[in-house]
Amino acid sequence: MSNKKGKFYITTPIYYVNANPHIGHTYTTVAADVLARYHRLIGDKTFFLTGTDEHGTKIEEKAKEAGLSPQKFVDGVAAQFELAWDNLNISHDRFIRTTEAEHMAAVQNALQYMYDKGDIYPGKYEGLYCRGCEQFKNEKDLIDGKCPDHKTKPEWMSEECYMFKLSKYQKELLKKIESDEFKISPKERKNEVISFYKNEGLKDVAFSRKNVKWGIPLPWDKSQTTYVWADAFLNYLTGLDWEGSGKKSPEFWPPDVQLMSKDILRVHATIWPAMLLSLGLELPKELFIHGFFLVDGQKMSKSLGNVIAPEDLVKKYGVDATRYLLMSATSFGSDGDIGWEFFDEKYTADLANGLGNLVARATALFEKMEEAGMRLKNNNQLPEVWGDFTCIFDIDNTWESYKRKMGEIALDRAPLYLISGKINDKEVQSMIAFLDNYISTTKPWELIKNKDERTEVVMYNVLERTRHIALMIYPFMPETADKILEQLGQSKVEEIKDFKRAMEWGGLKENAKIKKGEILFPRLDK
């Protein structure tokens, strides 16, 4: 990936507000935030959209149970999402809600356009309907007659509605998916979608409900409301202030990446792109699908008492550590097995004993060197008098590898490359491991004691490489990155005017005001 500036548009799904934010929502949103921060860092004009999906049958039912109007109910839950993202330092550019008047008007305009085009028509839908998914199901979708996600038997439903000509776009969409014009990642998810297209095919789907009042009325038939998926998908456009007119796309369109979990892949790979084709708009460049978390080998469940809430993670580990632990928990795109013991061990090894300890050692050694009357010296190389370091990190190549992983959305590997030493599924010395070994081998405390002039070059290498580490961890741990840079006498990341220059060797000035700071990652209370 080059440093050429461009535009970058990333979305999460908008989250259905029938419950408060959970760790799945958090995982997707933090991942999107990492990518948004990274693209801003390299100079791309970036737009990051997230929000809440607030219509449909389940919302009506939940509001009734709570003794609230649907609007008051969704107001309360949406506020919980906004608070959760604030607490996790999520840098979204827009938080959209589907009950906003502008969104609802745009949805009506878009559906009218599709209706006038002949892609929406009156009909009748009969089939098995899962209330939990708010989707009609095929027999093949069920396990022992039940929805695999909600463990309930779908009910037979037959109702008059308006149908969308999804089948019309089968061949065109399949061709775009197979050619990666409409890219679905990882590859196994692409293959899963292609298999669905070829084995089951696209069938016309209901786009309205007659007996659901909590929804957006159809502009040509006020007795029916828009089916919740058709309403929700259009947020990706209305979040950019799109007004619903066909063939006219907003500035950032199309999305570069749409992140989501695998349970909503099928609708995003079928109904959503077909709607865009109907509207005459470009398809997203990429859908990137991540997996689910298990807790100690089991699915999260309130009845099992193994639910890990995002606020509990923040309370125990802090905001930045929570962000890091989630992003590095598993290969991004695959399922992962987590748990409190897993997080404790990873926090201690990677953060308290790893990154935090390195920064503390480096700044403490600098203070001793300064007290001995020595200063930093940049000779742009590592002293070789201590033998052959087989894993000397070349800064340019390190950055290229880092940028490549970020471009591939290998979000677990970019920080792991720095912290726990995994890249390309092989164990290598990471920058932090290398620096720890470098300090142990060169023994700068002895050099300082002997007032050896080599100390000045050794310590420059340690501190300059620590500066690069701080820049690289910024998308994942922004507050920690700025704390490290402050200790190194550097500007905060967002104050750096020429990031391309900052990625080069020598950014740490020889007269930098370096000081010890607070412990970055306190040890856990046993």
Side-chain angles (χ1 to χ4, degrees), residues 468-497:
H468 284 272
I469 288 170
L471 298 178
M472 290 180 179
I473 66 169
Y474 170 78
F476 302 87
M477 296 185 282
E479 291 181 354
T480 300
D482 281 340
K483 286 178 182 178
I484 295 171
L485 290 171
E486 183 183 5
Q487 291 184 49
L488 298 177
Q490 306 297 299
S491 300
K492 291 183 178 181
V493 172
E494 292 184 2
E495 296 171 357
I496 297 173
K497 294 180 180 178

Coordinates of all heavy atoms in Angstrom, one line a residue, residues 468-497:
H468 N 8.8 4.5 16.8 CA 8.1 3.8 15.7 C 7.0 2.9 16.2 O 5.9 2.8 15.6 CB 9.1 3.1 14.8 CG 9.9 4.0 14.0 ND1 9.5 4.4 12.7 CD2 11.1 4.6 14.2 CE1 10.4 5.2 12.2 NE2 11.3 5.3 13.0
I469 N 7.3 2.2 17.3 CA 6.3 1.3 17.9 C 5.0 2.1 18.3 O 3.9 1.7 18.0 CB 6.8 0.5 19.1 CG1 7.8 -0.5 18.6 CG2 5.7 -0.1 19.9 CD1 8.6 -1.2 19.7
A470 N 5.3 3.2 18.9 CA 4.1 4.1 19.3 C 3.3 4.5 18.1 O 2.0 4.5 18.2 CB 4.7 5.3 20.1
L471 N 3.9 4.9 17.0 CA 3.2 5.2 15.8 C 2.3 4.1 15.3 O 1.2 4.2 14.9 CB 4.1 5.8 14.8 CG 4.9 7.0 15.1 CD1 5.8 7.4 13.9 CD2 4.0 8.2 15.4
M472 N 2.9 2.9 15.3 CA 2.2 1.7 14.8 C 1.1 1.2 15.6 O 0.1 0.7 15.1 CB 3.2 0.6 14.6 CG 4.2 0.8 13.5 SD 5.4 -0.6 13.3 CE 6.3 0.0 11.9
I473 N 1.2 1.4 17.0 CA 0.1 0.9 17.8 C -1.0 2.0 17.9 O -2.1 1.6 18.4 CB 0.6 0.6 19.2 CG1 1.0 1.8 20.0 CG2 1.6 -0.5 19.2 CD1 1.3 1.6 21.5
Y474 N -0.8 3.2 17.4 CA -1.8 4.2 17.5 C -3.2 3.8 17.1 O -4.2 4.0 17.8 CB -1.4 5.5 16.7 CG -2.5 6.5 16.7 CD1 -2.8 7.3 17.8 CD2 -3.3 6.6 15.5 CE1 -3.9 8.2 17.7 CE2 -4.3 7.5 15.5 CZ -4.6 8.3 16.6 OH -5.6 9.2 16.5
P475 N -3.4 3.2 15.9 CA -4.8 2.8 15.5 C -5.5 1.9 16.6 O -6.7 1.9 16.7 CB -4.7 2.1 14.2 CG -3.4 2.7 13.6 CD -2.5 2.8 14.8
F476 N -4.7 1.0 17.2 CA -5.2 0.1 18.2 C -5.3 0.7 19.6 O -6.3 0.4 20.2 CB -4.3 -1.2 18.2 CG -4.1 -1.8 16.9 CD1 -3.1 -1.4 16.0 CD2 -4.9 -2.9 16.5 CE1 -3.0 -2.0 14.8 CE2 -4.8 -3.5 15.3 CZ -3.8 -3.1 14.4
M477 N -4.3 1.4 20.0 CA -4.3 2.0 21.3 C -3.9 3.4 21.3 O -2.7 3.8 21.6 CB -3.3 1.2 22.2 CG -3.7 -0.3 22.4 SD -2.5 -1.2 23.5 CE -1.2 -1.5 22.4
P478 N -4.8 4.3 20.9 CA -4.5 5.7 20.6 C -4.0 6.4 21.8 O -3.0 7.2 21.8 CB -5.8 6.3 20.1 CG -6.8 5.3 20.4 CD -6.2 4.0 20.5
E479 N -4.6 6.2 23.0 CA -4.2 6.9 24.2 C -2.8 6.5 24.6 O -1.9 7.3 25.0 CB -5.2 6.7 25.3 CG -6.5 7.4 25.1 CD -7.5 7.2 26.2 OE1 -7.2 6.5 27.1 OE2 -8.6 7.9 26.2
T480 N -2.5 5.2 24.5 CA -1.2 4.6 24.9 C -0.1 5.2 24.0 O 1.0 5.5 24.4 CB -1.2 3.1 24.9 OG1 -2.2 2.6 25.8 CG2 0.1 2.5 25.2
A481 N -0.4 5.2 22.7 CA 0.6 5.7 21.7 C 1.0 7.2 22.1 O 2.1 7.5 22.1 CB 0.0 5.7 20.3
D482 N 0.0 8.0 22.4 CA 0.3 9.4 22.7 C 1.0 9.5 24.1 O 1.9 10.4 24.2 CB -1.0 10.2 22.8 CG -1.5 10.6 21.4 OD1 -0.7 10.6 20.5 OD2 -2.7 10.9 21.3
K483 N 0.7 8.6 25.0 CA 1.5 8.6 26.3 C 3.0 8.3 26.1 O 3.9 8.9 26.6 CB 0.9 7.7 27.3 CG -0.5 8.1 27.9 CD -1.0 7.1 28.8 CE -2.4 7.5 29.3 NZ -3.0 6.4 30.2
I484 N 3.2 7.3 25.2 CA 4.6 6.9 24.9 C 5.3 8.1 24.2 O 6.4 8.4 24.5 CB 4.6 5.7 24.0 CG1 4.1 4.5 24.8 CG2 6.1 5.4 23.6 CD1 3.9 3.2 24.0
L485 N 4.6 8.7 23.2 CA 5.3 9.8 22.5 C 5.5 11.0 23.4 O 6.6 11.7 23.3 CB 4.4 10.2 21.3 CG 4.3 9.2 20.2 CD1 3.2 9.6 19.2 CD2 5.6 9.0 19.5
E486 N 4.6 11.2 24.3 CA 4.9 12.3 25.3 C 6.1 12.0 26.1 O 6.9 12.9 26.4 CB 3.7 12.4 26.2 CG 3.8 13.6 27.2 CD 2.6 13.7 28.2 OE1 1.7 12.8 28.1 OE2 2.6 14.6 29.0
Q487 N 6.3 10.8 26.6 CA 7.5 10.4 27.3 C 8.8 10.6 26.5 O 9.8 10.9 27.0 CB 7.4 9.0 27.8 CG 6.3 8.8 28.9 CD 6.3 7.4 29.5 OE1 7.4 6.8 29.8 NE2 5.1 6.8 29.6
L488 N 8.6 10.4 25.2 CA 9.8 10.6 24.3 C 9.9 12.0 23.8 O 10.8 12.3 22.9 CB 9.6 9.6 23.1 CG 9.6 8.1 23.4 CD1 9.3 7.3 22.1 CD2 10.8 7.7 24.1
G489 N 9.1 12.9 24.3 CA 9.3 14.3 23.9 C 8.8 14.6 22.6 O 9.2 15.6 21.9
Q490 N 7.8 13.8 22.1 CA 7.3 14.0 20.7 C 5.8 14.5 20.7 O 5.1 14.5 21.7 CB 7.3 12.6 20.0 CG 8.6 11.9 20.0 CD 9.7 12.7 19.3 OE1 9.6 12.9 18.1 NE2 10.7 13.1 20.0
S491 N 5.4 15.0 19.6 CA 4.0 15.5 19.4 C 3.1 14.3 19.4 O 3.4 13.2 19.1 CB 3.9 16.2 18.1 OG 4.7 17.3 18.0
K492 N 1.8 14.6 19.8 CA 0.8 13.5 19.7 C 0.6 13.2 18.3 O 0.9 14.0 17.4 CB -0.5 14.1 20.3 CG -0.5 14.2 21.8 CD -1.8 14.7 22.4 CE -1.8 14.8 23.9 NZ -3.1 15.2 24.4
V493 N 0.1 12.0 18.0 CA -0.1 11.5 16.7 C -0.9 12.4 15.8 O -0.5 12.7 14.7 CB -0.7 10.1 16.7 CG1 -1.0 9.6 15.2 CG2 0.3 9.1 17.3
E494 N -2.0 12.9 16.3 CA -2.9 13.7 15.5 C -2.3 15.1 15.2 O -2.8 15.9 14.4 CB -4.3 13.8 16.1 CG -5.0 12.5 16.1 CD -6.4 12.6 16.7 OE1 -6.8 13.8 17.0 OE2 -7.1 11.6 16.8
E495 N -1.2 15.5 15.9 CA -0.5 16.7 15.7 C 0.6 16.6 14.7 O 1.2 17.6 14.3 CB 0.0 17.3 17.0 CG -1.1 17.6 18.0 CD -0.5 18.0 19.4 OE1 0.7 17.9 19.5 OE2 -1.3 18.3 20.3
I496 N 0.9 15.4 14.2 CA 2.0 15.2 13.2 C 1.5 15.6 11.9 O 0.5 15.1 11.4 CB 2.4 13.7 13.2 CG1 3.0 13.3 14.6 CG2 3.4 13.4 12.1 CD1 3.2 11.8 14.7
K497 N 2.2 16.6 11.3 CA 1.8 17.1 10.0 C 2.2 16.3 8.8 O 1.6 16.3 7.8 CB 2.2 18.6 9.9 CG 1.6 19.5 10.9 CD 2.1 20.9 10.8 CE 1.4 21.8 11.8 NZ 2.0 23.2 11.8

